[in-house]
Amino acid sequence: SPNDYMAAGCPQGCKVDRGFYYTYKAVQKKIREAVAGLKMKHPAAKTVVTGHSLGGAVAVHAVVDLALAGYPADMVFTYGQPRVGNDVFAKWYVSKFTQGKPHFRITHSHDPVPHLPTSGSGPIGGFTHVPVEVYYPRDSRGEHTVCDGSGEDLKCSDSNIVDLTLTDHLFYLGFHFISNYIGCKL
C-alpha cells in the first residue's frame, strides 16, 4: 500500500509508492542541476518531462520536485507508467501541476505495467493513476483514445480483464525500448 508523502503542499493522507519516490530521490540532485543549467543557457526553452515504465513514475516525482524548485514542467509525456500514489496524491498532482499544460500518460494495449501497483484494496492496493491517459488498443502508432481524465477510465486500458503482454510494454509509438536501450551509448 502507498506510504506517506511529505512534499510541500500535499494534503493530509497524500501517499506514494516508496520505491518510486526513493528512486527519484537518488537522481534528484543531478536532475535539478541539469535543468537549472539548461534553463540558464536557454531561458525561453520549454521544460518537457518524459519517462517510460519506472522512468514514468520517476517523471511524476520530477514534475513535483522541479515545480517546487521553480522549474515547472511545460509538458509531460509518460509511456507505460505504473501508478505512483493514492487518490489524494493524484488529485493534488492534477490541481497543482497539470492545469493548462499537456500531461499525457500513454498506454499500449495489454501492457501490464500501468496496472501496477493495483488500484484495489489489500496489501499492494490503494493506488490511483494521474490523468490524462491516451490509450492505444492495438498498434501504438494507430488508433487511440484520449481517455476521460479520471486516470482510471474503464473504457481505456482498465477495460482489459488481463494485461500480460510484455511486448506491449516494450514498444510505444514505433519506438522499441529494449533494442534502443541496448544500442544506447552513454
Side-chain angles (χ1 to χ4, degrees):
S1 64
N3 292 281
D4 289 338
Y5 183 61
M6 306 305 260
C10 201
Q12 184 174 359
C14 197
K15 296 178 183 276
V16 296
D17 177 83
R18 181 184 344 195
F20 300 148
Y21 177 68
Y22 286 125
T23 299
Y24 177 71
K25 295 298 278 183
V27 296
Q28 177 184 33
K29 182 178 178 193
K30 287 184 179 190
I31 289 174
R32 278 188 176 189
E33 288 171 353
V35 171
L38 287 167
K39 284 304 233 180
M40 261 173 111
K41 289 180 186 176
H42 310 282
K46 301 250 184 228
T47 301
V48 179
V49 179
T50 187
H52 171 256
S53 195
L54 169 61
V58 169
V60 169
H61 286 295
V63 168
V64 172
D65 183 56
L66 290 171
L68 295 175
Y71 305 106
D74 296 295
M75 293 179 263
V76 180
F77 300 91
T78 65
Y79 305 87
Q81 173 199 313
R83 292 180 179 102
V84 174
N86 66 357
D87 187 52
V88 175
F89 172 81
K91 287 177 182 173
W92 173 73
Y93 181 90
V94 167
S95 72
K96 298 293 182 189
F97 307 107
T98 67
Q99 299 303 307
K101 299 174 183 180
H103 185 290
F104 297 106
R105 183 177 55 79
I106 293 111
T107 58
H108 178 205
S109 194
H110 292 276
D111 180 349
V113 174
H115 302 284
L116 301 171
T118 63
S119 59
S121 60
I124 61 167
F127 292 83
T128 302
H129 268 301
V130 297
V132 168
E133 179 182 6
V134 178
Y135 175 56
Y136 287 81
R138 286 175 276 295
D139 182 341
S140 69
R141 292 174 291 185
E143 176 188 330
H144 64 278
T145 301
V146 178
C147 306
D148 70 7
S150 70
E152 299 291 342
D153 187 343
L154 295 177
K155 294 178 183 152
C156 289
S157 67
D158 279 350
S159 68
N160 299 327
I161 294 171
V162 177
D163 287 306
L164 297 174
T165 310
L166 191 56
T167 54
D168 285 349
H169 182 65
L170 302 175
F171 196 77
Y172 272 85
L173 303 175
F175 186 86
H176 193 277
F177 282 91
I178 293 298
S179 63
N180 283 284
Y181 175 78
I182 290 170
C184 180
K185 307 280 189 256
L186 297 177

